[in-house]
Amino acid sequence: HVTWYPEWGQARIAGMVEGRPDWCISRQRTWGVPITLFVHRETGEPHPRTVELMAIIADKVEQGGVDVWYSLDVAELLGEEAAHYEKTTDILDVWFDSGVTHEGVLLERGFGKPADLYLEGSDQHRGWFQSSLLTGVAIDKHAPYKQCLTHGFTVDENGRKMSKSLGNGIEPQDIMKALGADILRLWIASADYSNEMSLSQEILKRNADAYRRLRNTARFLLSNLDGFDPARDLVQPEDMVALDRWVVHRAFEVQQKIIAAYARYDFAEIVQALLNFCSVDLGSLYLDVTKDRLYTMQESSRGRRSAQTAMFHILEAFTRWVAPVLSFTADEIWGFLPGERAANVLFTTWYEGLAPLPADAPLGAEDFDRLLALREQMAKVLEPMRANGVIGAALDAEVTVSASPALAAKWQPLAEELRFLFISGDVTVTAVEADELFVLAQPTTKEKCVRCWHRRADLGADPAHPELCTRCVSNIEGPGEDRKWF
């Protein structure tokens, strides 16, 4: 059984094989791989020792090249029979040459048959794919490959074939010189290879922007791992802050998706999953929310080490995800990751340090889905206030969330920390007899802490620090704060 990528490849080659004539494998040319036959001058039959003679001639060709056949004296091999036999001068069809590479390359080099994958352009359904299939079935009764992948050809932004005469060609060397090899590789991976693949300077620019998003995400994660030693500082999953466990859970889901996409050679899906994870889960949410913990909590506090643990797990996985596509970038990241590791990321397997949220997690995946939906709803309330100058930032607003009794009971224990998830002022959760959620926001009158920028009622409670909230005072001089949820 052969798996075809794309699926229509199977119908395409089936139609071509079904409708093809018999294959004449000889050609009358002056150069090529000779058909080493001695044919009887009267009967036209090949010599009865043909297989044995071919082996002898193959050894001679291996030593002296194909010209050995043409200069060979027939009597050297046939002796007194030489007068009755004629040496053929026909050569093999070149498609036969390439079609038996499964025999002459795979077996000879110890790889065995069938090959895992045959990969070529869409024109090879009538070429190499087909000649290999015919010879494979003739020799082994089955195809010489387990999978067969076909790709389209590169065209310009208008769908025209690239050519020197049109002046629309873009040389890979020029792309690598201007943008680097990884951006060229990213374009190839993000293109739908089942059709013609468009390439232009504008398309390359978009891929450079996408690459920048991936690279900047990795840089942010790496920069916040400064001083983190996984052997010393890694926090166990059950002790991590809930948000950190959730983002590791999301990374686990992304990894499962990426592994499945690699298995079916869906590179565009991989690029999309990477960009979505970096932009939505990390850039627009997690990295923004955790800045408060990373920058205001004590260096070795559980809350900060928990965030670093999550970032370490994500980067360990992320580097492996991108390695087949962004090989140079992955190698660069690998060199800066803390902890002991293999010399090169390309010699590693998928990261096993990711895990889904357990069923008994205090906040499960569905809980986070509801909270993130609430976060979006709150943003829609705050944005007009910001646009109209009522508040300068979300931190300047106090928020009241009205939810059903069941949901309010779930969220009220989180209320003290919800302001960190929303990056807002104080959040109050109240219960109402309604199925809908209601969000009300108003400007706060509380003063701003100069260290964490949160507006707090306890600002200046410590006379020694009149401009700091008690949380920051504790983080500077006291035992430090602890964080459970966000």
Side-chain angles (χ1 to χ4, degrees), residues 274-412:
L274 285 167
L275 289 172
N276 189 68
F277 183 63
C278 288
S279 299
V280 179
D281 295 304
L282 296 181
S284 298
L285 175 65
Y286 183 73
L287 302 184
D288 215 16
V289 172
T290 51
K291 284 176 184 175
D292 182 86
R293 267 189 285 147
L294 292 166
Y295 301 162
T296 70
M297 294 182 76
Q298 293 180 350
E299 182 180 7
S300 298
S301 63
R302 185 182 69 92
R304 188 169 182 276
R305 292 303 191 202
S306 175
Q308 288 182 309
T309 296
M311 291 179 173
F312 174 76
H313 287 317
I314 291 168
L315 208 47
E316 281 275 11
F318 176 88
T319 313
R320 291 163 164 87
W321 298 344
V322 303
V325 178
L326 306 178
S327 307
F328 297 101
T329 303
D331 187 51
E332 188 180 359
I333 297 169
W334 197 249
F336 289 102
L337 270 170
E340 293 186 7
R341 61 193 57 260
N344 194 300
V345 63
L346 298 176
F347 300 139
T348 63
T349 54
W350 300 118
Y351 184 55
E352 297 179 356
L354 304 177
L357 280 166
D360 61 349
L363 284 182
E366 289 186 4
D367 295 320
F368 270 100
D369 288 343
R370 290 195 192 96
L371 285 167
L372 296 180
L374 173 61
R375 192 173 187 264
E376 289 182 13
Q377 185 176 345
M378 190 199 72
K380 292 176 182 177
V381 173
L382 297 184
E383 189 53 43
M385 297 174 66
R386 187 185 294 112
N388 295 328
V390 178
I391 58 172
L395 287 170
D396 300 335
E398 294 183 6
V399 179
T400 300
V401 176
S402 300
S404 66
L407 207 49
K410 181 82 173 177
W411 287 347
Q412 280 167 346

Side-chain angles (χ1 to χ4, degrees), residues 1 11 105 127 134 144 161 178 233 264 275:
H1 174 73
V105 176
L134 296 176
K161 179 182 175 182
D233 303 321
R264 63 177 184 272
L275 289 172

Side-chain angles (χ1 to χ4, degrees), residues 8-17 122-126 150:
W8 51 256
Q10 182 172 359
R12 180 178 169 88
I13 198 167
M16 288 181 172
V17 171
S122 55
D123 57 333
Q124 294 305 312
H125 286 105
R126 62 168 55 88
T150 333

Side-chain angles (χ1 to χ4, degrees), residues 140-379:
D140 302 313
K141 310 300 182 191
H142 59 74
Y145 37 75
K146 299 174 187 175
Q147 302 171 99
C148 195
L149 187 148
T150 333
H151 60 78
F153 297 94
T154 305
V155 295
D156 67 15
E157 66 268 37
N158 298 313
R160 299 177 303 173
K161 179 182 175 182
M162 288 191 170
S163 67
K164 289 183 179 178
S165 59
L166 291 174
N168 63 344
I170 302 177
E171 293 297 326
Q173 293 86 345
D174 294 337
I175 299 172
M176 288 189 286
K177 196 177 296 182
L179 299 172
D182 275 0
I183 289 177
L184 175 62
R185 296 168 70 93
L186 184 63
W187 161 70
I188 294 168
S190 61
D192 178 9
Y193 62 76
S194 64
N195 298 302
E196 309 292 37
M197 297 174 287
S198 298
L199 179 62
S200 67
Q201 294 299 339
E202 179 58 32
I203 290 171
L204 287 170
K205 181 179 178 297
R206 290 201 297 269
N207 276 273
D209 291 340
Y211 171 79
R212 204 169 291 114
R213 161 63 71 179
L214 297 173
R215 185 179 180 86
N216 286 344
T217 300
R219 285 183 64 186
F220 184 90
L221 293 169
L222 270 177
S223 65
N224 282 289
L225 289 177
D226 181 55
F228 178 81
D229 179 0
R232 178 193 66 208
D233 303 321
L234 203 71
V235 179
Q236 293 305 305
E238 61 273 14
D239 295 325
M240 291 173 70
V241 172
L243 180 66
D244 300 329
R245 290 197 76 177
W246 170 82
V247 80
V248 171
H249 164 87
R250 282 291 300 126
F252 174 82
E253 291 182 326
V254 172
Q255 177 159 286
Q256 298 307 108
K257 191 175 184 179
I258 285 174
I259 291 173
Y262 270 122
R264 63 177 184 272
Y265 309 107
D266 192 346
F267 306 111
E269 174 70 19
I270 293 162
V271 173
Q272 191 58 45
L274 285 167
L275 289 172
N276 189 68
F277 183 63
C278 288
S279 299
V280 179
D281 295 304
L282 296 181
S284 298
L285 175 65
Y286 183 73
L287 302 184
D288 215 16
V289 172
T290 51
K291 284 176 184 175
D292 182 86
R293 267 189 285 147
L294 292 166
Y295 301 162
T296 70
M297 294 182 76
Q298 293 180 350
E299 182 180 7
S300 298
S301 63
R302 185 182 69 92
R304 188 169 182 276
R305 292 303 191 202
S306 175
Q308 288 182 309
T309 296
M311 291 179 173
F312 174 76
H313 287 317
I314 291 168
L315 208 47
E316 281 275 11
F318 176 88
T319 313
R320 291 163 164 87
W321 298 344
V322 303
V325 178
L326 306 178
S327 307
F328 297 101
T329 303
D331 187 51
E332 188 180 359
I333 297 169
W334 197 249
F336 289 102
L337 270 170
E340 293 186 7
R341 61 193 57 260
N344 194 300
V345 63
L346 298 176
F347 300 139
T348 63
T349 54
W350 300 118
Y351 184 55
E352 297 179 356
L354 304 177
L357 280 166
D360 61 349
L363 284 182
E366 289 186 4
D367 295 320
F368 270 100
D369 288 343
R370 290 195 192 96
L371 285 167
L372 296 180
L374 173 61
R375 192 173 187 264
E376 289 182 13
Q377 185 176 345
M378 190 199 72

